[in-house]
Amino acid sequence: MKENGPKDRILATASRLFYEQGYTQTGINQILEEAKVAKASLYQHYGSKDELGVAYLQYERERWFKLFQAYLDQKTTPLDKIVACFEYLEESQPQRNFKGCRFINLLTELSDSSPKMREQIVEHKSKLRAYFAQLTQHYKPIASQSLADSIYLLFEGAIIESKIYQHVWPIVIAKNAAKKMLE
Amino acid sequence: MKENGPKDRILATASRLFYEQGYTQTGINQILEEAKVAKASLYQHYGSKDELGVAYLQYERERWFKLFQAYLDQKTTPLDKIVACFEYLEESQPQRNFKGCRFINLLTELSDSSPKMREQIVEHKSKLRAYFAQLTQHYKPIASQSLADSIYLLFEGAIIESKIYQHVWPIVIAKNAAKKMLE
DNA sequence: CAAAATGTAGACAGATTTGTCTATGTTTGC
DNA sequence: GCAAACATAGACAAATCTGTCTACATTTTG
């Protein structure tokens, strides 16, 4: 993200704070201070905190898949790509202090409010699930949907549990379990 | 929980609301109104909202394992017991409107604050992990720790994903994946 | 019975929060 | 070069929130 105008500075700052501190724990005023932007500018570009949340999710969805695919593109074989999904977590989660998945974090924080944000999150995860199906299909064309979903579940479980234990072991376990499933 | 004195009514009401609405989204005053208890009573028995949160977690930890083990006790063979873990989710999650795991929900809400509550949650999950190790060991004495952990990860992933999709399919997928791992 | 403990009801302080509004300054495009 | 659009700074409203405190009622206990 190029930090040009106030609009981008707001999104970049909100994105960082929403992940580090949580959405509800982050106040509008803190975003304004750290982004060095006036309050009117925020409500000019994004109408409310909720809409800023939606913009945040849209931005991060795109960013997430870009980074993820870029990492996978380093690998050539389909099997290596699937394994690399977990290696991506092994690298990224410690860097992020095991804060887990921003999308799941937000979903949990919201409980029932904000259907727009919920929609973004469910769409994102649906897309990830489909991506695992595609990767698995590419490795083994006759593979079942349930095999891909099992790996997807291990992937998601690994993120959550590495957050709980503040450690990579769940990711390593999940990686090896996925490998075995694909044998 | 017997709903006798104010102390118990507070905990019972808080427990329900913390799960349904979330911890931060539930105000002290709402608990007092619904429990029909005066504010002074709450601060008499529990010193603060944070300590009420800790009491809530302690109470629910015990309750969770009791219900879980009672369900598993219906099964006789070790394999049936492991499969029943997932069947328990198939029954409980739809009943709870797919609100997911209260412990993980709270962990995510808290972000970094309240180390006491975090401790309760991590202890609870560690105990669950150990329980899966025990079940797996009982089924196959030479089984590795990583097999048990893999099933644990599927279990945890299933809870989260059934919350995202508001559906049981992740639980069914996880159950079948676990079965296959144990073959 | 009387005293101590416990519970009720709710006002209040103090700190937050989101969102609006006024007033002023700075770019930018025609 | 001037007007329109954009940005700043921050006061303010209105609605939270947790926690304290006063005043009174009820229950328990010696």
Side-chain angles (χ1 to χ4, degrees), chain B residues 12-30:
Chain B
T13 306
S15 188
R16 175 171 55 82
L17 293 175
F18 286 166
Y19 186 51
E20 287 176 2
Q21 308 181 345
Y23 175 79
T24 41
Q25 239 107 8
T26 301
I28 291 288
N29 291 316
Q30 191 189 359

Side-chain angles (χ1 to χ4, degrees), chain A:
Chain A
M1 158 156 299
K2 290 171 280 185
E3 306 205 357
N4 301 334
K7 186 170 180 179
D8 290 342
R9 287 209 307 279
I10 291 166
L11 192 56
T13 306
S15 188
R16 174 171 54 82
L17 294 174
F18 285 166
Y19 186 52
E20 286 177 1
Q21 309 181 343
Y23 175 79
T24 42
Q25 239 108 6
T26 302
I28 291 289
N29 291 316
Q30 192 189 358
I31 297 170
L32 299 175
E33 278 169 31
E34 299 199 17
K36 273 155 194 156
V37 157
K39 189 174 273 193
S41 298
L42 190 148
Y43 284 95
Q44 171 76 17
H45 293 293
Y46 312 93
S48 64
K49 193 189 179 184
D50 188 84
E51 287 178 64
L52 175 60
V54 174
Y56 156 68
L57 287 169
Q58 285 170 334
Y59 168 63
E60 287 294 342
R61 278 178 65 180
E62 199 182 329
R63 191 164 162 271
W64 193 90
F65 266 102
K66 268 187 192 155
L67 288 171
F68 192 59
Q69 283 176 322
Y71 191 89
L72 266 53
D73 282 347
Q74 296 173 346
K75 309 291 171 177
T76 50
T77 76
L79 181 60
D80 281 350
K81 278 178 196 285
I82 296 172
V83 173
C85 295
F86 295 90
E87 288 164 352
Y88 177 73
L89 294 181
E90 282 186 87
E91 284 189 24
S92 61
Q93 286 303 312
Q95 274 175 4
R96 296 164 184 226
N97 293 109
F98 298 103
K99 291 232 174 286
C101 169
R102 18 169 44 108
F103 305 99
I104 289 176
N105 289 356
L106 196 37
L107 183 75
T108 299
E109 267 191 272
L110 294 174
S111 200
D112 270 332
S113 63
S114 188
K116 279 189 192 171
M117 291 178 80
R118 164 167 250 284
E119 190 189 6
Q120 288 293 325
I121 295 161
V122 176
E123 271 181 23
H124 175 75
K125 288 300 183 185
S126 300
K127 208 177 150 195
L128 176 59
R129 182 193 176 199
Y131 192 70
F132 268 104
Q134 187 189 310
L135 284 175
T136 309
Q137 202 76 9
H138 205 251
Y139 169 66
K140 211 189 250 184
I142 56 159
S144 61
Q145 173 71 34
S146 61
L147 174 61
D149 282 341
S150 300
I151 294 168
Y152 165 72
L153 286 181
L154 284 168
F155 184 84
E156 294 282 287
I159 300 175
I160 287 286
E161 299 302 306
S162 73
K163 178 182 176 174
I164 293 175
Y165 297 100
Q166 299 277 294
H167 200 278
V168 292
W169 73 255
I171 301 170
V172 177
I173 293 282
K175 179 179 69 178
N176 291 329
K179 274 187 196 168
K180 212 160 205 172
M181 281 179 172
L182 291 164
E183 273 172 8

